[in-house]
Amino acid sequence: MDSIPTPPAEPQDSPEGYVGLDAAGAERLARERGWSTVRSLPPGAIITMEYRVGRLNFEVTDGRVTRAWKG
């Protein structure tokens, strides 16, 4: 039986630090800090619930990040 692969490490970064930033700047900063995927979403967007290592999600209202979370 094959062993379970070890997922890559996530950046040691706090999603709360992106709240209040403009969306474009927050995305650029997240990529510089090592997030492999950055997803900007409108409030109330229907999204899948699977957790993806290395993904950072932003909820964006009027061009500003209002919520940020991993996965």
Side-chain angles (χ1 to χ4, degrees):
M1 184 166 135
D2 289 335
S3 62
I4 297 173
T6 303
E10 286 186 330
Q12 296 299 307
D13 191 21
S14 175
E16 292 81 22
Y18 294 93
V19 175
L21 299 178
D22 73 278
E27 183 173 341
R28 195 169 36 256
L29 181 61
R31 291 188 189 286
E32 289 172 4
R33 292 181 175 173
W35 293 98
S36 58
T37 304
V38 180
R39 182 167 67 166
S40 293
L41 306 160
I46 298 172
I47 58 173
T48 59
M49 296 301 293
E50 85 278 0
Y51 186 89
R52 290 239 160 136
V53 174
R55 178 168 66 189
L56 188 61
N57 299 292
F58 293 145
E59 183 173 282
V60 177
T61 303
D62 296 329
R64 294 250 169 229
V65 177
T66 55
R67 180 177 167 227
W69 68 99
K70 296 178 182 183

